[in-house]
Amino acid sequence: MEKLNWLVCKINEYTADYILIILLVAVGLFFTIKTRFVQVRCFGEGMKRMFGNFSLHGGKQNGGMSSFQALATAIAAQVGTGNIVGACGAILVGGPGAIFWMWIIAFLGMATIYAEAVLAQKTRVVDADGTVSGGPVYYIKTAFKGKFGKALAGFFAVAATLALGFMGVMVQSNSISGAVAGVAKVDSGATVLGGEYWYIGVIVGAVLAFLAALIMIGGANRIASVTEKIVPFMAILYIVLCLVVIGSRITYIPETFGMIFKYAFKPQALIGGGIGIALKTAISMGAKRGLFSNEAGMGSTPHAHALANVEKPHDQGVVAMMGVFIDTFVVLTLTALTVISTLYAGKEEFWKMCYENNTMPFANSNMAQAAYADVFGANVGNILIAICLFFFAFSTILSWSLFGKINFQHLFGKKSIVIYSIISTAFVFLGACLTNDLVWNLTDMFNYLMVIPNAIALIALSGMVVEAVKSAKAKKAAKKDE
């Protein structure tokens, strides 16, 4: 297991530091320029469509979802442990400056996810029974005909099934188990099978697996019905709690922003090492955790946006951009401000010593708890983080399970859904009972592998995306003339 973990880490290191950064930045820049900054020009339209379609009771949509249900399902996938544990990990390894690069990746990602949603809408398939299917496997096969297209789509489907439906749900349930262990005041390592408090992991895993199975049995409609209610509640709860902590450290907020911008370009001043290595670390951590957080370019959320019943693909494209905005510029930024203002601001010399001696006072899993404890106290802080992590992670389990199912069905047909559901639910249970180092690294690896075929197809079909932007602009101009 140690050798396998080492190998996976090496693959991730080269994939993230080179291939991932180049692809994410290149694709994001490409569509930003091609669409003439659609994330800026159509931001207001996206906001209007999001709030105009807001509903906690969207109901069944004849095989698909309402636009808001699709957005809620996408946000449920995006806003997960990456917004708390992932953001803290990026800060811990790459310094506060890593957050700046997460913002850059997210800004470019808004154009990328617009393209993903548009193509998912344009290439989706409606079966005779009204069931709607769509996602990267469909637009990959549209981009590349014949055996190559099928092979590339198959590669994506395998990576997506493993990354989201199997490994991904393990990461999420493990985070919930770890948060519960924190409330119980025990080491999360003691909750794994064979540990002193193994029963905590078993109980948490059993409860999560039961709830997930209960909801997943109802298919996409039931998942949409649950996420459209959970997402607004969990977002408001987390925003309010973060604002309370930030409010208590309001005098440190200017310094917090200063550290983010300063260490974005001079990370070596804090984390040490040469400027080249330090800058690469800060950027790569921003790219890696940015991808895991907002998922733009990864090819996961198009599965949800394909199901939206909208008038034209552009309509869901601008709504999809709001998912990245909420995930990174709202939720993740609040996490960063909370952690940096509480644990880093005014303590730069202390952290320089920590990085120099490689003696970190926190792990990425307990940094947020430490920040909350500064205001709410250790006990209440642990409980609040555990509640937030539960909603974030459980909603992600639901969405990722759905996305995994779509790809598993593509590989093995509709009759395989029962088998997939059993395996996915088993992984939810196992994730709460097992250690997560290898699982986190495997999830990262398959996430990165998903990006490659997805990005290639996006570039190949860029003409369809530009056409959608121009068509929407022309209709808008014609409406004004009328």
Side-chain angles (χ1 to χ4, degrees):
M1 294 294 282
E2 288 179 5
K3 289 180 179 178
L4 178 60
N5 192 42
W6 177 87
L7 178 62
V8 171
C9 286
K10 280 297 177 183
I11 294 172
N12 289 349
E13 182 182 329
Y14 286 103
T15 305
D17 291 350
Y18 302 104
I19 298 174
L20 183 67
I21 292 175
I22 292 171
L23 273 178
L24 285 177
V25 173
V27 173
L29 273 173
F30 179 79
F31 280 108
T32 296
I33 295 169
K34 273 279 192 178
T35 61
R36 298 182 180 179
F37 288 83
V38 68
Q39 66 268 60
V40 177
R41 292 191 299 108
C42 298
F43 182 82
E45 182 184 352
M47 278 290 184
K48 287 178 182 178
R49 289 194 177 280
M50 179 178 69
F51 288 108
N53 293 318
F54 178 84
S55 173
L56 298 179
H57 304 284
K60 293 185 178 182
Q61 298 292 317
N62 297 322
M65 298 180 181
S66 69
S67 180
F68 180 75
Q69 284 177 333
L71 176 65
T73 304
I75 292 177
Q78 292 166 312
V79 179
T81 55
N83 293 81
I84 299 180
V85 180
C88 291
I91 295 169
L92 198 62
V93 177
I99 298 302
F100 173 83
W101 298 110
M102 293 179 89
W103 288 341
I104 297 299
I105 290 294
F107 176 76
L108 298 176
M110 289 175 72
T112 304
I113 210 163
Y114 171 86
E116 289 180 305
V118 165
L119 292 178
Q121 277 283 317
K122 280 181 171 289
T123 59
R124 72 179 196 162
V125 174
V126 181
D127 294 337
D129 60 358
T131 303
V132 180
S133 301
V137 291
Y138 292 88
Y139 58 69
I140 288 173
K141 287 192 294 184
T142 300
F144 305 102
K145 305 296 183 182
K147 292 182 179 179
F148 179 72
K150 289 181 179 179
L152 203 61
F155 176 83
F156 177 89
V158 170
T161 300
L162 293 172
L164 306 177
F166 297 160
M167 302 297 175
V169 297
M170 284 186 77
V171 166
Q172 304 299 329
S173 63
N174 190 275
S175 297
I176 295 174
S177 180
V180 173
V183 173
K185 297 181 180 179
V186 300
D187 190 323
S188 59
T191 66
V192 302
L193 292 177
E196 184 180 359
Y197 298 96
W198 60 270
Y199 53 86
I200 293 178
V202 171
I203 293 171
V204 171
V207 171
L208 290 176
F210 173 76
L211 291 175
L214 193 65
I215 296 170
M216 285 191 289
I217 286 173
N221 280 325
R222 185 174 296 177
I223 291 174
S225 179
V226 172
T227 56
E228 72 179 346
K229 297 174 180 62
I230 288 182
V231 167
F233 171 77
M234 74 181 191
I236 293 171
L237 172 66
Y238 190 68
I239 289 169
V240 170
L241 291 175
C242 284
L243 288 176
V244 170
V245 177
I246 292 169
S248 71
R249 302 284 293 178
I250 195 69
T251 55
Y252 290 93
I253 295 303
E255 182 182 349
T256 297
F257 277 104
M259 292 178 76
I260 291 173
F261 288 103
K262 174 184 176 182
Y263 294 124
F265 301 97
K266 294 182 178 180
Q268 75 280 4
L270 182 67
I271 67 176
I275 182 171
I277 295 175
L279 190 59
K280 188 184 80 169
T281 301
I283 295 174
S284 65
M285 285 307 298
K288 285 191 288 188
R289 291 306 164 204
L291 171 65
F292 189 75
S293 176
N294 64 57
E295 302 185 25
M298 193 170 81
S300 55
T301 56
H303 297 100
H305 295 302
L307 304 181
N309 294 321
V310 290
E311 183 181 341
K312 54 187 183 294
H314 169 81
D315 296 345
Q316 194 60 25
V318 295
V319 169
M321 295 192 306
M322 299 304 101
V324 174
F325 178 80
I326 292 169
D327 171 87
T328 302
F329 291 104
V330 178
V331 179
L332 186 139
T333 297
L334 287 173
T335 299
L337 295 179
T338 298
V339 169
I340 297 171
S341 67
T342 305
L343 305 180
Y344 278 76
K347 305 170 186 176
E348 289 185 64
E349 292 304 318
F350 166 75
W351 280 100
K352 286 179 183 178
M353 290 176 56
C354 291
Y355 283 108
E356 184 179 342
N357 300 320
N358 197 25
T359 54
M360 294 301 174
F362 306 104
N364 59 358
S365 58
N366 65 4
M367 283 185 77
Q369 282 95 327
Y372 269 51
D374 192 68
V375 175
F376 298 107
N379 293 333
V380 176
N382 281 341
I383 292 171
L384 291 175
I385 285 294
I387 292 172
C388 292
L389 265 176
F390 169 78
F391 284 112
F392 281 19
F394 185 68
S395 61
T396 300
I397 287 173
L398 297 179
S399 293
W400 279 3
S401 295
L402 173 63
F403 302 162
K405 183 181 78 172
I406 292 170
N407 286 281
F408 196 85
Q409 180 180 316
H410 171 78
L411 291 169
F412 304 107
K414 285 188 176 182
K415 293 181 180 179
S416 66
I417 292 176
V418 175
I419 296 173
Y420 167 82
S421 300
I422 293 172
I423 298 173
S424 183
T425 304
F427 272 101
V428 172
F429 172 77
L430 290 172
C433 308
L434 300 176
T435 185
N436 70 345
D437 284 347
L438 179 58
V439 175
W440 267 93
N441 292 327
L442 283 170
T443 302
D444 281 344
M445 184 179 77
F446 289 116
N447 280 339
Y448 302 158
L449 291 177
M450 287 170 60
V451 173
I452 299 171
N454 185 58
I456 293 172
L458 291 176
I459 296 296
L461 296 175
S462 60
M464 293 174 67
V465 178
V466 174
E467 181 189 343
V469 178
K470 289 181 177 179
S471 176
K473 188 177 179 181
K475 285 183 179 180
K476 193 175 181 181
K479 202 170 184 180
K480 278 185 178 181
D481 291 340
E482 288 176 8

